[in-house]
Amino acid sequence: MKMSRYLVPTLKEDPSDAVITSHRLMLRAGLIRKESAGMYIYLPLGLRVLQKIIAIIREEMNKSGALEFLMPELTSADLWKESGRWHSMGPEMIRIKDRNGIEYALAPTHEEAFTNVIRMIVTSYKDLPVNAYQINTKFRDEIRPRFGVMRSKEFIMKDAYSFDSDEDGLEGSYQIMRQTYRTIFKRCGLETIPVEADTGSMGGSNSEEFMVASEVGEEVLLLCEVCGYKSNQERATCQYQLSPTNEDEEALAIVDTPDVRTINELVQFFGCSAHTFLKSLIYVADGTPIMAVVPGDREINEVKLKNTLNAVDLELAPDAVVEEVTGAPVGFAGPILVKGKALRIIFDTQIKTIKNAITGANQRDKHYKGVNPGRDFVIGQEADIVLVVAGDRCPHCGNALIETRGIEVGHIFKLGYKYTRAMNVKVLDKNGKAITPIMGCYGIGVNRTMAAVIEQHNDDRGIIWPMSVAPFQVHCISLAKNEKEEGAADTIYSMLVDAGIEVLYDDRTASPGFKFGDADLIGIPIRITLGKAFFGDSSSIEVKLRNKDEKIIIAKDMIVDYCKKQIVQMLQKLNA
Ligand SMILES: [Zn+2]
């Protein structure tokens, strides 16, 4: 492609609204432009990268045996109502009506749509397993779109849905996707961290997220450097440092604590460690108030709590609800309820080990001390509901966990029977009996993958593309000063193109410095320069790889072979 005939609007300055590297470089290298908040235009150069990522995904999905579909993006409300998600999807789902008042959603995901098509076309166990996928646009009404294409309102996803006769079958389909995802990201030049992820009420090792480590990542990951445990914070567990329990039990006593409400204020007031306090928070879970109790030095993991409760909605109770259910203003709640009050309480599993604890007395300006679980209140339901943080002990080996941030580029998930049951999908098994297939779902954010590749491959001059997803394979810079030299440069360009090499040819009238600056910014892996040496007697060509500093000189006759060999080697490395 001749740059004189192409549109690559590179920018010399950093755009003011781009706070992360990938967003900044995508704008500067002329890959994208912003259309409006959370919506991006892919310019020709950017689109080539996106298409290369899509091609890798498609190739590996097809190799895995998955079947490609193309689903409508306008999905009928009836499907969403059948699964119960028309309401539970909330305001992130964009809903519209046609001229007849019929409701649709601009699909944020396609579980219902794929379940529906399988219901239509699959009748026998002989057609199972099937893994149906598409590469298509998704919509999400983000409150705060940010970080460029990382969190946008419209994005491209590869989403796949497997249907199996039974759980063993699902395990097989899931394992194939686990491997396929590793291959896809490796081929894109991405180093991902597969982590255990939250599985909602499914439980078990049934979900894995593929994360790219990044300071700007929105997910918090906990990693063990000794045994390799990796988990999303939403799901992470840890070994507890149990406190010694050979202390004598003190008598329960009520203490006046005027205006002492927060854990810090309590630590000051009582002069003991935060761990001794029973932090009691009131939530509303699907409309019903509940209490959650954790040690005072821990935070509650609301995802774990929600799963324990099997709740769809969980939020902190408003002050009025706290007063109503505990009988006291906010700050004085505790598990020893006032007579006549009843409340479902979830205790963290550490609570039973705390002796002579301090907790709110469910009365204004009063706390209990000498509280002993089991004696002063019954531990009805306990569950692991604390948020695991850096320094906590690895659940497998006890080593201190470290924290890092990540960008989620892929997610594989055993869905179970949620959709096939709700939508009444039946197939006949080999005995002619109707069975309900079990599902898995598997997503990759295509635009995010592109941004994540840039986050992992750049320097202060620009992008450093892995060969597999580079917009072009060779960046050929001509420094021709007259028509004769231009003709000679054009010959090299034609030779490369005829050999099947993808070449971005800088034949523009501009200074060498400007052209080299653009080449570094755009980041094509192989740069060849047709300069003085080439136009002079030696006919030699300067070659520089974007990820290396040294320049080498190649004879004109060898340049095609050299480039071909480099391309093959670079691709092989990513395939290995
Ligand atoms: Zn470990």
Side-chain angles (χ1 to χ4, degrees):
M1 176 58 66
K2 289 185 172 180
M3 279 183 93
S4 61
R5 306 296 319 137
Y6 211 40
L7 287 170
V8 188
T10 55
L11 304 172
K12 289 285 153 255
E13 303 296 328
D14 282 341
S16 58
D17 61 336
V19 292
I20 68 167
T21 304
S22 56
H23 188 195
R24 188 169 57 78
L25 289 175
M26 284 172 95
L27 288 165
R28 280 196 56 197
L31 307 181
I32 59 166
R33 282 294 182 269
K34 183 168 155 180
E35 205 265 1
S36 59
M39 296 189 340
Y40 287 87
I41 301 156
Y42 282 78
L43 302 179
L45 199 62
L47 181 60
R48 286 182 69 95
V49 178
L50 209 58
Q51 283 169 336
K52 286 201 172 183
I53 294 171
I54 288 172
I56 290 172
I57 295 172
R58 179 172 284 130
E59 207 178 299
E60 294 301 328
M61 287 302 290
N62 291 348
K63 217 186 274 177
S64 81
L67 307 175
E68 187 169 5
F69 285 62
L70 183 62
M71 307 296 279
E73 291 168 20
L74 209 53
T75 48
S76 92
D78 290 345
L79 286 178
W80 296 94
K81 284 174 184 165
E82 248 189 283
S83 71
R85 289 209 293 180
W86 182 250
H87 295 289
S88 68
M89 285 301 286
E92 278 197 356
M93 187 157 85
I94 300 174
R95 294 149 217 259
I96 50 174
K97 279 183 190 166
D98 71 7
R99 67 178 77 196
N100 298 315
I102 297 170
E103 290 178 303
Y104 300 88
L106 283 174
T109 175
H110 276 85
E111 280 83 359
E112 285 83 352
F114 271 99
T115 306
N116 181 47
V117 68
I118 293 301
R119 179 170 62 180
M120 282 192 246
I121 64 174
V122 173
T123 51
S124 158
Y125 75 98
K126 288 180 196 155
D127 291 329
L128 300 181
V130 56
N131 188 349
Y133 83 99
Q134 65 171 342
I135 299 168
N136 205 349
T137 303
K138 299 274 183 275
F139 300 87
R140 200 165 292 169
D141 193 356
E142 290 283 351
I143 295 182
R144 205 155 71 89
R146 59 194 162 139
F147 302 151
V149 302
M150 285 280 191
R151 186 162 285 276
S152 52
K153 286 187 181 171
E154 187 182 320
F155 50 94
I156 299 169
M157 254 188 92
K158 185 286 294 173
D159 50 332
Y161 306 87
S162 66
F163 296 81
D164 278 276
S165 300
D166 53 30
E167 279 182 39
D168 285 349
L170 171 58
E171 175 64 18
S173 297
Y174 181 81
Q175 290 302 334
I176 290 171
M177 282 298 104
R178 268 188 95 211
Q179 203 43 58
T180 299
Y181 271 44
R182 281 163 170 75
T183 309
I184 289 171
F185 292 124
K186 180 146 198 303
R187 282 190 63 190
C188 291
L190 259 188
E191 223 174 276
T192 55
I193 310 171
V195 302
E196 286 183 18
D198 174 49
T199 51
S201 53
M202 280 282 290
S205 294
N206 293 322
S207 172
E208 203 170 49
E209 285 168 340
F210 291 78
M211 297 285 189
V212 174
S214 164
E215 281 168 30
V216 299
E218 292 179 316
E219 307 288 334
V220 177
L221 317 180
L222 288 145
L223 314 176
C224 172
E225 286 179 315
V226 173
C227 75
Y229 172 77
K230 300 178 183 83
S231 180
N232 191 319
Q233 191 178 39
E234 286 183 346
R235 182 188 158 81
T237 58
C238 66
Q239 288 179 17
Y240 295 131
Q241 216 102 37
L242 298 179
S243 37
T245 53
N246 49 6
E247 269 175 69
D248 289 333
E249 286 188 359
E250 292 167 11
L252 184 68
I254 205 153
V255 184
D256 282 326
T257 52
D259 288 326
V260 180
R261 293 165 195 252
T262 66
I263 294 291
N264 280 340
E265 288 163 357
L266 285 160
V267 167
Q268 289 268 323
F269 185 89
F270 285 95
C272 48
S273 83
H275 186 74
T276 327
F277 296 96
L278 307 183
K279 189 195 266 185
S280 311
L281 295 177
I282 311 294
Y283 284 89
V284 177
D286 293 339
T288 309
I290 62 108
M291 181 186 281
V293 184
V294 295
D297 58 347
R298 311 289 325 207
E299 298 299 325
I300 291 179
N301 179 331
E302 292 183 357
V303 175
K304 286 195 211 169
L305 178 60
K306 197 165 147 179
N307 292 341
T308 301
L309 294 162
N310 216 345
V312 176
D313 286 314
L314 179 79
E315 47 190 22
L316 273 172
D319 293 2
V321 174
V322 175
E323 285 212 51
E324 189 193 318
V325 298
T326 67
V330 175
F332 301 98
I336 306 176
L337 299 175
V338 179
K339 257 198 187 135
K341 299 275 181 195
L343 190 61
R344 182 177 177 190
I345 308 179
I346 311 291
F347 293 93
D348 181 64
T349 46
Q350 291 178 78
I351 293 298
K352 61 176 176 283
T353 70
I354 304 173
K355 277 203 163 178
N356 301 321
I358 293 161
T359 183
N362 298 315
Q363 299 173 50
R364 180 186 291 275
D365 295 339
K366 290 196 193 306
H367 278 79
Y368 281 120
K369 66 170 193 177
V371 179
N372 285 282
R375 184 194 70 183
D376 300 319
F377 58 84
V378 177
I379 295 186
Q381 187 179 2
E382 64 171 7
D384 168 14
I385 53 168
V386 298
L387 192 70
V388 174
V389 295
D392 279 340
R393 300 199 305 164
C394 170
H396 297 160
C397 74
N399 185 58
L401 293 169
I402 55 165
E403 221 175 84
T404 183
R405 301 193 77 87
I407 298 161
E408 182 193 327
V409 288
H411 192 181
I412 59 176
F413 192 90
K414 286 188 185 173
L415 274 177
Y417 294 101
K418 182 173 172 182
Y419 298 95
T420 45
R421 276 190 188 142
M423 297 177 69
N424 196 28
V425 184
K426 296 281 183 204
V427 302
L428 297 180
D429 72 3
K430 50 175 170 278
N431 305 314
K433 201 180 120 223
I435 55 160
T436 304
I438 185 165
M439 279 175 79
C441 74
Y442 318 92
I444 292 179
V446 177
N447 321 67
R448 256 185 192 201
T449 297
M450 175 170 167
V453 169
I454 298 172
E455 289 287 332
Q456 258 180 18
H457 301 277
N458 68 79
D459 63 14
D460 53 8
R461 287 172 289 148
I463 304 168
I464 307 171
W465 289 113
M467 184 55 85
S468 56
V469 297
F472 289 90
Q473 297 166 326
V474 172
H475 194 132
C476 175
I477 292 178
S478 163
L479 304 179
K481 289 197 190 73
N482 53 51
E483 248 174 64
K484 187 176 158 237
E485 289 180 354
E486 277 165 14
D490 285 353
T491 313
I492 297 296
Y493 168 61
S494 300
M495 275 165 57
L496 293 164
V497 171
D498 290 347
I501 298 170
E502 301 166 14
V503 188
L504 184 63
Y505 177 36
D506 196 345
D507 61 336
R508 297 174 298 179
T509 313
S511 74
F514 182 84
K515 290 185 176 186
F516 290 130
D518 268 3
D520 281 344
L521 182 58
I522 294 167
I524 291 166
I526 303 170
R527 184 186 84 189
I528 68 175
T529 307
L530 308 173
K532 246 185 220 151
F534 172 73
F535 298 120
D537 295 337
S538 70
S539 290
S540 57
I541 296 171
E542 181 199 281
V543 180
K544 187 190 164 295
L545 303 183
R546 180 63 181 86
N547 63 355
K548 299 235 164 65
D549 285 330
E550 61 271 24
K551 295 166 188 159
I552 56 166
I553 303 298
I554 302 283
K556 175 188 154 187
D557 298 338
M558 302 298 292
I559 194 68
V560 170
D561 280 349
Y562 175 85
C563 289
K564 273 176 132 173
K565 213 168 132 197
Q566 280 292 339
I567 293 165
V568 168
Q569 275 177 7
M570 289 180 183
L571 288 175
Q572 268 170 356
K573 255 191 205 166
L574 296 164
N575 281 330

